[in-house]
Amino acid sequence: MGSTGPPSTASSEPPSGDTLGAWIDAYVSYCRSERGLSPNTVAAYRRDLSLWSAFCADAHVDPAAPAPAELTEFLRRARAGEAPVNAPLAPASVARAAISLRGLYRFLAREGEIPSDPTQRLGVPRRGRPLPKAISVEDVAALVEAPPPTLLGRRDRALLETLYGAGLRISELVGLDVDDVDLDGRWALARGGKGGRDRRVPLGGAAVRALEDYLIRSRPELARRARGASAAGALWLNSRGARLSRQGGWKIIATHARAAGLEGKVSPHVLRHSFATHLLDGGADVRVVQELLGHASLATTQVYTLVTDPHLVEVFRSAHPRATV
């Protein structure tokens, strides 16, 4: 890896934990600077490989040449939540841990740090494909109508209407600036989606009205409470006038879900799922929904069509002349 890489382990001595740590640092740096992976992905790879390092120390595994059984035992412990993993990992997280391992060892073999890649035959566990959760149109109405007409209530209603009405991710929502929203043109600019892609999303009438109410009657007062100018351009402000955080957005949703009798049923992603499902139920083309959601792959969007199957069957039975003969 050159002069900046981790120390070579050409000697007969198995590498130490410090050496494995240096390998992990080098691989994470490669993912970030050369592969251009997102900060969240890089952080997830580091977490996975930190667990692998702890497992190697606990099970006395030589990290330069782990046996196939040792690799699969690590993934088994990850699924079961056994040490060094403190809680069972979801199937998708176990699959990502396998990908992290394969990426690390391919990198080390390519850089000449180890003689061969021990993960060549390591399969990636199947992740499964759980259907997206969606709440009904009636439940959405109950949720967005739950906030009272108060200073913060107007903000919360506008936030909920925008989150559901535009199908945004929570990070895209809280990242909005005032200048990212065009109420006359009825669109918003969602920044920093997956892969760093920005996209324009349309805003419906309900979201536009709620945003106008918030911007005129609540945001100016919240902005006056700010102690600095750091949140001057932020669309969503907290009670102290600072930019609303992801955690703050989650709390708002949970508070009003509880008030609407939907406790435990609503999250930012559930509202995004509901946005997509309700569009497809209404006859929207799946490729249009793909663009609205900012999905790079159509296959990611097509999972929502599985949710709408019962609706399609109902329409077929009521509309097709030979369906009930």
Side-chain angles (χ1 to χ4, degrees):
M1 292 180 209
S3 61
T4 60
S8 175
T9 58
S11 72
S12 59
E13 290 295 320
S16 67
D18 289 344
T19 300
L20 177 56
W23 283 348
I24 292 171
D25 287 343
Y27 175 61
V28 167
S29 178
Y30 161 76
C31 289
R32 180 174 53 246
S33 60
E34 297 191 36
R35 291 185 62 191
L37 298 183
S38 72
N40 286 342
T41 299
V42 171
Y45 283 0
R46 181 179 284 283
R47 286 195 300 271
D48 295 338
L49 295 173
S50 295
L51 289 175
W52 168 244
S53 179
F55 170 79
C56 288
D58 181 67
H60 305 290
V61 171
D62 176 3
E70 292 169 333
L71 292 164
T72 55
E73 171 63 12
F74 168 68
L75 297 179
R76 186 200 66 78
R77 290 195 189 186
R79 282 192 299 271
E82 298 176 7
V85 184
N86 294 325
L89 298 185
S93 297
V94 176
R96 191 198 60 226
I99 292 170
S100 300
L101 283 175
R102 287 170 56 171
L104 171 68
Y105 283 104
R106 285 175 183 172
F107 170 74
L108 294 176
R110 188 172 63 248
E111 297 294 322
E113 292 296 322
I114 56 177
S116 62
D117 176 7
T119 66
Q120 286 181 345
R121 298 182 180 275
L122 179 66
V124 176
R126 298 192 65 174
R127 306 187 198 193
R129 202 178 194 188
L131 292 178
K133 298 176 182 177
I135 58 176
S136 68
V137 175
E138 293 76 17
D139 283 344
V140 170
L143 176 68
V144 300
E145 292 168 7
T150 60
L151 180 73
L152 294 179
R154 284 186 286 270
R155 177 205 62 187
D156 295 355
R157 174 152 190 171
L159 182 146
L160 293 168
E161 290 278 17
T162 304
L163 185 62
Y164 166 73
L168 298 177
R169 301 176 178 95
I170 187 65
S171 58
E172 295 170 340
L173 180 82
V174 298
L176 285 172
D177 287 337
V178 173
D179 290 343
D180 293 332
V181 176
D182 181 347
L183 297 184
D184 292 330
R186 293 194 169 197
W187 59 264
L189 180 62
R191 299 181 182 274
K194 288 191 176 179
R197 292 181 295 272
D198 298 344
R199 69 188 189 284
R200 289 201 342 169
V201 293
L203 295 172
V208 168
R209 288 191 297 274
L211 281 165
E212 287 175 339
D213 193 35
Y214 162 62
L215 288 170
I216 293 171
R217 303 177 65 187
S218 289
R219 191 185 178 282
E221 172 57 31
L222 294 175
R224 279 193 286 271
R225 301 179 180 185
R227 294 185 177 179
S230 59
L235 177 61
W236 309 110
L237 303 179
N238 64 22
S239 60
R240 298 181 304 280
R243 182 184 289 272
L244 189 72
S245 66
R246 285 169 57 104
Q247 293 79 6
W250 271 85
K251 186 176 180 180
I252 288 169
I253 295 165
T255 296
H256 298 300
R258 187 162 51 248
L262 299 170
E263 187 171 7
K265 296 181 180 180
V266 182
S267 70
H269 225 58
V270 166
L271 288 177
R272 183 168 156 87
H273 292 326
S274 302
F275 164 84
T277 302
H278 297 164
L279 279 175
L280 290 167
D281 279 346
D285 183 88
V286 68
R287 291 190 180 276
V288 173
V289 178
Q290 176 193 359
E291 290 296 322
L292 292 173
L293 291 172
H295 286 161
S297 168
L298 182 62
T300 306
T301 313
Q302 283 175 327
V303 69
Y304 293 101
T305 64
L306 301 175
V307 178
T308 65
D309 279 351
H311 173 76
L312 296 178
V313 171
E314 180 183 344
V315 170
F316 167 76
R317 287 177 177 168
S318 62
H320 195 282
R322 301 291 295 174
T324 57
V325 171

